[in-house]
Amino acid sequence: MIKNTFRRYAALMAVPLVLLVLGFISGCARLQDWRSAAQEPPDAPASAAPRYTISWTMHQNLPVPEDAEMVRYVEEKFQVDLDIWNLANNKYETLLNMKLVQGSVPDLFRVRQTQDLLDYQQQGLIAEIPKDMLNTYAPNIMRAIREYAPAYQDFGVIDGKYYGIPVVNPTNIYRVPVVYRQDWLDKLGLPVPQTLSDFEKTIYAFANEDPDGNGIKDTYGLSLEGMNVVFGAFGQMVFTDQLYFSKKGQQLVVGALEPEMKEALHYLRKWYRDGVIDPEFITGENNGGYKHLSHAFINGRIGMTSMGNYYHWIQDGDYMTWSYDSQKNAQEIPVKATFNVKELTAKNPQARIVFGRPFSGPEGKRGSKAYDMLMSFTAIGANAASEPGKLAAILQILDYVSANPDPDTDAAMKYGVPGTHWAWAGNAKKEIALLPPYDQTFSYQNTIGTNIGMTMPFMPTDRREQWASSLGLDQDGIYNALEVATPALVRNGPELIKLRNEAYIAFITGERPLEEFGMFVKAFMAAGGTEVLQEANE
């Protein structure tokens, strides 16, 4: 803490001293007021244990400032220095791997792609976490997993030893939505598509009948993410970050290799040739920045997508939510548009969206991409375990910020200082409302240093999730039937994904004839697919 304070002081030498002191006192006072009201125990004396420096990775949309007030609070409470690594979520693996290549291994290791846990363990980058230590120093996390996600409690075990705490996201019960431009459908007199033939009619109209009314042929039906709903009409997922497996009888198969995908490709190839698919689909729908934004949809280039999650597509008034006015008076108000819809209507105030059920294919199959309930792992860096007492300290902090049994403290670790950043809506302490201006501030939690823990498997009962359930998003999801990696998948997965993507793009654009689909399957199996499938089934 002394080291961090000195760096902050040196960087702010030009700031008038009185402003610096007043700002520091104000921030500390708000935290002290909350601590007193919550009857928080005093910090442990500095002599009780060594003061550890702990490098920490977390989910980030914005960088966490070095003097973030809630990080400072955790540092003071546990008498540690937290070194938060600012690794942007949309480039997390790339930035993390750069650190690892340079020899830097985080102490609190967020393994975002579940298949990477085995890879990192094989490289000696993560430490074994003795189960008795987990139960002693992270009892609330382990209790939550046992009670709410018992099927996943041993998913971080490799060769009989515990290496990763499973992060189970209960909201992944909701699949990715299928989104259309409602105003385009209305102008063209079309209903929301229910079948593949309905969908084909709709996207041809989007491409050829000037739905935006500008007199220019500059619109298309769909792009990359929408293609997964087409594959879903044949029961599979293809354009995914991982290889998606599905069950066929009693066996696991790779969905992209199944023969019905050749029929799906027939449709996509025809649509591409006819100018219905965005010719820029190869680069995806996102142009940078927040990774769940479909810029192709926002900019009016396509009329259908399946990108982002349900909470990225909320429209004004979809449900009622709690809010506080400038005088901190609680009131129920219509929810405001979020992310994709907010960006869309900022560009075109008349634009509207509608969710559709994934359309059915020739055999009645349907589905959109769903993310596995096992979202990631939380691991401990190998170096941390070699420093006496450090592993226990990390687990204590992780338990405190992730699964605190006290509702006030738990909310503070997620949203900040009560009365400053948020307040309870009602007396039941079940719903919170963000206070102005934080209710309109993108990812303010990153800028104040909250949400540094891991997701717990408690099913939220918020109005947002009730709204998602009312839309039927808990149905028609296509999940990966293989949730963890095997050694062969770790070795061969990246090359197989590259091979899959290159082949599918070539089939869609016409660079390869569909008659070569069997050749692609053979090349895939020869490149390690045979070994991957064998281990997956074993």
Side-chain angles (χ1 to χ4, degrees):
M1 185 67 183
I2 295 172
K3 173 190 65 180
N4 290 343
T5 303
F6 178 79
R7 285 205 299 263
R8 288 196 294 271
Y9 175 77
L12 295 170
M13 286 287 286
V15 179
L17 183 60
V18 65
L19 294 180
L20 181 59
V21 172
L22 286 175
F24 182 80
I25 291 174
S26 173
C28 289
R30 285 182 294 170
L31 286 171
Q32 187 59 45
D33 289 345
W34 164 62
R35 177 184 291 179
S36 299
Q39 298 182 327
E40 277 286 292
D43 295 331
S47 59
R51 190 178 183 100
Y52 301 107
T53 296
I54 301 172
S55 51
W56 197 281
T57 58
M58 55 180 280
H59 179 100
Q60 287 179 295
N61 294 318
L62 293 174
V64 176
E66 190 175 283
D67 60 349
E69 56 192 300
M70 297 308 292
V71 172
R72 189 167 66 230
Y73 164 75
V74 173
E75 288 180 324
E76 292 171 354
K77 178 172 181 58
F78 289 94
Q79 293 293 289
V80 298
D81 293 319
L82 292 181
D83 175 18
I84 305 292
W85 285 11
N86 285 315
L87 307 176
N89 199 49
N90 60 343
K91 299 178 181 176
Y92 179 77
E93 281 76 25
T94 300
L95 295 172
L96 176 62
N97 287 333
M98 287 174 61
K99 289 265 194 180
L100 298 177
V101 167
Q102 295 165 2
S104 297
V105 180
D107 296 323
L108 194 285
F109 205 127
R110 177 180 174 234
V111 184
R112 192 178 69 160
Q113 302 286 357
T114 56
Q115 71 269 20
D116 288 341
L117 184 74
L118 179 60
D119 188 20
Y120 292 143
Q121 186 267 343
Q122 290 176 337
Q123 294 182 56
L125 297 173
I126 57 177
E128 179 193 352
I129 314 173
K131 268 210 170 180
D132 60 338
M133 290 194 70
L134 276 168
N135 291 321
T136 300
Y137 297 106
N140 298 302
I141 289 176
M142 299 308 291
R143 185 181 305 114
I145 294 172
R146 284 194 301 269
E147 293 181 3
Y148 293 92
Y152 292 91
Q153 57 185 331
D154 292 326
F155 266 49
V157 174
I158 300 173
D159 295 332
K161 297 179 180 180
Y162 212 95
Y163 284 92
I165 307 171
V167 181
V168 180
N169 187 351
T171 63
N172 281 359
I173 192 174
Y174 302 119
R175 60 171 171 79
V176 172
V178 181
V179 185
Y180 296 91
R181 282 286 296 267
Q182 175 73 72
D183 52 320
W184 286 15
L185 291 171
D186 291 344
K187 181 179 179 182
L188 300 172
L190 294 169
V192 175
Q194 300 298 319
T195 66
L196 182 61
S197 60
D198 293 341
F199 180 70
E200 185 172 51
K201 178 181 178 182
T202 299
I203 58 174
Y204 271 79
F206 282 171
N208 298 324
E209 297 181 24
D210 194 23
D212 59 0
N214 67 355
I216 304 172
K217 194 176 186 306
D218 58 356
T219 56
Y220 303 93
L222 72 159
S223 187
L224 188 72
E225 295 296 329
M227 293 181 185
N228 273 329
V229 189
V230 180
F231 296 130
F234 294 86
Q236 307 295 344
M237 282 291 112
V238 174
F239 287 134
T240 55
D241 291 337
Q242 306 172 19
L243 284 178
Y244 259 49
F245 292 74
S246 63
K247 279 194 174 182
K248 191 173 185 180
Q250 297 300 311
Q251 293 290 304
L252 288 179
V253 297
V254 177
L257 307 184
E258 287 301 284
E260 57 265 29
M261 290 296 93
K262 185 175 179 180
E263 187 176 354
L265 285 168
H266 171 79
Y267 282 93
L268 293 170
R269 183 186 185 91
K270 175 177 179 290
W271 298 343
Y272 182 84
R273 185 185 64 226
D274 292 347
V276 173
I277 293 175
D278 184 351
E280 297 180 5
F281 83 89
I282 298 169
T283 58
E285 299 179 25
N286 178 268
N287 298 334
Y290 187 55
K291 70 173 189 174
H292 295 294
L293 293 177
S294 172
H295 294 108
F297 192 93
I298 290 166
N299 295 328
R301 191 173 175 89
I302 57 175
M304 175 269 182
T305 187
S306 188
M307 185 168 189
N309 226 315
Y310 60 97
Y311 44 82
H312 299 120
W313 292 99
I314 297 170
Q315 293 189 92
D316 284 341
D318 272 343
Y319 55 91
M320 299 297 288
T321 188
W322 284 100
S323 181
Y324 280 78
D325 59 24
S326 56
Q327 282 74 46
K328 298 187 179 179
N329 297 315
Q331 56 185 338
E332 285 189 286
I333 63 169
V335 69
K336 297 286 188 183
T338 63
F339 298 103
N340 282 287
V341 181
K342 183 179 179 180
E343 298 283 343
L344 172 67
T345 51
K347 284 183 172 291
N348 181 357
Q350 307 306 314
R352 295 291 180 271
I353 67 157
V354 63
F355 287 1
R357 187 181 180 188
F359 45 83
S360 61
E363 297 181 3
K365 296 177 182 178
R366 66 173 83 226
S368 66
K369 180 172 61 178
Y371 297 106
D372 290 325
M373 303 295 284
L374 180 65
M375 184 171 66
S376 59
F377 287 104
T378 299
I380 304 297
N383 296 334
S386 64
E387 195 170 342
K390 193 172 189 178
L391 175 55
I394 294 171
L395 293 176
Q396 282 182 308
I397 296 171
L398 184 65
D399 195 65
Y400 184 87
V401 300
S402 303
N404 204 294
D406 176 69
D408 294 291
T409 305
D410 187 59
M413 291 300 99
K414 292 177 173 63
Y415 302 105
V417 181
T420 299
H421 301 110
W422 64 277
W424 289 113
N427 298 322
K429 294 189 177 181
K430 292 186 179 298
E431 294 182 282
I432 68 103
L434 301 181
L435 298 175
Y438 303 102
D439 57 339
Q440 299 296 320
T441 305
F442 174 69
S443 287
Y444 83 90
Q445 289 97 330
N446 285 158
T447 61
I448 67 169
T450 57
N451 260 352
I452 69 171
M454 55 182 275
T455 299
M456 289 290 98
F458 313 120
M459 189 61 192
T461 57
D462 297 352
R463 299 183 187 195
R464 187 183 74 176
E465 278 62 50
Q466 294 175 17
W467 167 74
S469 183
S470 73
L471 295 170
L473 296 179
D474 53 350
Q475 304 168 32
D476 302 321
I478 297 180
Y479 292 86
N480 190 351
L482 183 69
E483 291 189 85
V484 293
T486 69
L489 188 57
V490 169
R491 288 193 303 274
N492 302 315
E495 183 60 32
L496 292 175
I497 290 171
K498 180 182 177 184
L499 185 63
R500 176 201 68 186
N501 292 349
E502 289 177 349
Y504 267 73
I505 289 170
F507 289 136
I508 293 167
T509 59
E511 293 178 22
R512 290 185 66 176
L514 285 179
E515 289 73 22
E516 292 186 3
F517 187 82
M519 294 174 58
F520 151 67
V521 173
K522 289 180 181 179
F524 185 99
M525 299 301 280
T530 299
E531 186 183 9
V532 165
L533 273 170
Q534 180 180 343
E535 284 190 358
N537 280 290
E538 288 172 353

